[in-house]
Amino acid sequence: MSSKIFDMNIENQIVSRLEEDRTLSDKELSALLETDFFDSLLFESADRIRKSIYGTDVYVRGLVEFTNYCKNNCYYCGIRCGNTVLPRYRLSQKEIMDCCETGYKLGFRTFVLQGGEDDFFNDETLCAIISEIKSKYPDCAVTLSIGEKSYKSYKLYFGAGADRYLLRHETADDEHYQKLHPQNMSLQYRKECLRNLKEIGYQVGSGFMVGSPFQETEHLIKDIRFLQELKPEMIGIGPFLTHSDTPFKDQKSGSLELTLRLLAILRLMFPNVLLPATTALGTISPDGRELGLKAGANVVMPNLSPVKVRKQYALYDNKICTGEEAAECRSCIDLRVNTAGYRMVVSRGDFFK
Ligand code: 5AD
Ligand code: FES
């Protein structure tokens, strides 16, 4: 018997077991993560499962990056407070509403308000913004992505109408977390925030960077185990990308291949999850987002921020879509989704169990 047939059997077994059981042992996950041997079968299976649940539908979220001020100093992030060469901006409530209006006309039914941790936007201001969006666009979902806040604050935003919250855990390993963040931040508090958000009733998105400095396979396995425990409705992952004005300026970026592999694994483990093909994936490779969709992703997040501030929301170098108007970004991404064989839908795109 040829060794190829034997190999094909193993390949089939491990991927179909992942599909059936929605889990694997640590050792098996390492095998999937550490070689490209399983990739084509992984991508094929992930796409089949995604199509069995979502068909070719891709949900679209309009991203409004409303402040690049941040009080945190994460070593990987371009908008960290220690980056003194970055010009800072804040959008006014009126400017945020204008972004939503443009977005609504373009068919967006979810607005993601993303920003650094900026205390200028206190609870009262944020609630006013959320309420105004919800009262003007009651058929839309509002997603917040504004970092770590108290239980009380999360509760207030939820009361004002926020539906969803994105807070990546970044890495589920304590020691690794400490290598990516200053002393005053902790994985334990991050996890507590995620638990609070769930308890309050948000649809929650978590996730991590792929190929962040010092990351090992065992950390990725911990990320997967943490997600299995948390059961988020959304999982955002993208490659770590170097930013030249951060302490990680000499670190190398994560890879397209490993990110795609993880997307496929996550689709098989969490068949119903909302999985974005991220801007970071589109930045690392010109067809990164298309490849992400083919590996199981089913969400895209075009940028709705005013072009004049786009370049300043620089989490990493060479970020794409920084010169395009919202309409251009929308049609560019429409074309990309179609080219990949999928179809963008006008819908809130809620998670369904
Ligand atoms: N490369 C890739 N992703 C980054 N993020 C922040 N900095 C970088 C970077 N240099 C991600 C983090 C954060 C999200 C908003 O952007 O995971 O949670
Ligand atoms: Fe923004 Fe292509 S998605 S320009």
Side-chain angles (χ1 to χ4, degrees):
M1 196 188 289
S2 86
S3 69
K4 186 66 194 159
I5 293 173
F6 179 67
D7 289 348
M8 285 296 284
N9 278 338
I10 300 186
E11 183 188 352
N12 259 313
Q13 263 178 35
I14 190 165
V15 177
S16 59
R17 224 153 21 76
L18 172 60
E19 186 178 327
E20 273 155 38
D21 302 348
R22 302 184 183 180
T23 194
L24 289 173
S25 68
D26 288 1
K27 214 169 140 205
E28 290 165 328
L29 279 174
S30 300
L32 288 191
L33 289 167
E34 286 179 345
T35 70
D36 60 7
F37 182 71
F38 301 92
D39 282 0
S40 54
L41 192 60
L42 265 180
F43 299 155
E44 235 172 80
S45 309
D47 192 44
R48 183 164 36 72
I49 291 299
R50 163 258 171 63
K51 284 188 173 141
S52 74
I53 297 169
Y54 290 104
T56 55
D57 290 0
V58 172
Y59 300 115
V60 54
R61 321 296 196 201
L63 189 61
V64 183
E65 298 154 338
F66 68 97
T67 171
N68 74 347
Y69 282 84
C70 189
K71 66 180 182 197
N72 289 336
N73 214 12
C74 309
Y75 303 141
Y76 48 83
C77 186
I79 67 168
R80 64 200 303 270
C81 66
N83 180 2
T84 52
V85 299
L86 179 71
R88 305 283 170 167
Y89 74 90
R90 293 183 176 108
L91 298 186
S92 65
Q93 184 159 338
K94 162 87 170 57
E95 287 173 309
I96 296 173
M97 291 311 297
D98 290 346
C99 294
C100 296
E101 190 181 335
T102 308
Y104 194 86
K105 287 185 184 147
L106 291 170
F108 296 79
R109 295 297 176 267
T110 294
F111 302 115
V112 182
L113 300 181
Q114 187 173 89
E117 290 194 21
D118 179 4
D119 289 335
F120 172 88
F121 290 92
N122 59 24
D123 289 349
E124 200 188 328
T125 315
L126 284 165
C127 287
I129 296 169
I130 298 161
S131 314
E132 192 179 353
I133 300 175
K134 289 298 281 194
S135 66
K136 198 150 180 221
Y137 307 107
D139 54 333
C140 291
V142 170
T143 303
L144 300 177
S145 176
I146 51 176
E148 298 175 359
K149 307 272 175 181
S150 66
Y151 184 93
K152 183 171 150 263
S153 297
Y154 286 151
K155 187 106 187 155
L156 287 171
Y157 312 150
F158 192 74
D163 304 273
R164 308 177 184 148
Y165 206 103
L166 308 180
L167 183 71
R168 291 188 179 178
H169 65 275
E170 312 295 0
T171 171
D173 179 87
D174 270 304
E175 267 178 44
H176 187 219
Y177 194 94
Q178 254 15 97
K179 290 184 180 164
L180 304 182
H181 302 96
Q183 275 286 306
N184 66 341
M185 292 181 73
S186 80
L187 178 59
Q188 292 320 307
Y189 187 63
R190 198 83 173 173
K191 287 182 173 174
E192 191 180 317
C193 288
L194 285 162
R195 278 191 292 272
N196 288 342
L197 290 163
K198 274 234 143 183
E199 193 200 303
I200 291 168
Y202 284 95
Q203 293 177 45
V204 169
S206 196
F208 54 91
M209 286 177 293
V210 179
S212 56
F214 319 112
Q215 185 179 69
E216 307 276 349
T217 305
E218 64 182 283
H219 300 140
L220 291 171
I221 294 172
K222 278 194 169 179
D223 289 323
I224 291 171
R225 299 298 178 217
F226 172 68
L227 292 169
Q228 287 180 314
E229 203 182 295
L230 180 71
K231 300 183 181 60
E233 282 77 20
M234 291 164 271
I235 302 176
I237 65 164
F240 159 74
L241 296 166
T242 312
H243 188 295
S244 46
D245 301 313
T246 63
F248 286 166
K249 64 179 189 302
D250 297 321
Q251 300 282 346
K252 68 175 198 306
S253 292
S255 80
L256 171 72
E257 290 71 24
L258 186 56
T259 310
L260 295 174
R261 202 172 290 156
L262 274 155
L263 282 171
I265 293 172
L266 292 169
R267 171 59 64 210
L268 294 171
M269 284 191 149
F270 306 90
N272 297 318
V273 84
L274 293 159
L275 203 56
T278 55
T279 307
L281 194 58
T283 299
I284 202 166
S285 163
D287 58 350
R289 285 170 299 175
E290 291 88 323
L291 294 171
L293 293 171
K294 291 184 185 176
N298 65 337
V299 174
V300 288
M301 301 172 73
N303 205 316
L304 275 181
S305 315
V307 171
K308 65 170 191 204
V309 302
R310 292 269 183 105
K311 281 203 182 8
Q312 282 152 264
Y313 202 81
L315 305 178
Y316 42 77
D317 292 336
N318 308 314
K319 191 172 162 221
I320 53 166
C321 307
T322 55
E324 282 76 9
E325 292 291 347
E328 292 170 307
C329 211
R330 158 81 214 214
S331 47
C332 162
I333 217 155
D334 225 349
L335 187 69
R336 290 171 182 278
V337 168
N338 288 337
T339 311
Y342 304 90
R343 171 179 81 91
M344 209 127 90
V345 295
V346 175
S347 139
R348 278 175 47 126
D350 281 294
F351 177 79
F352 49 92
K353 291 207 163 69

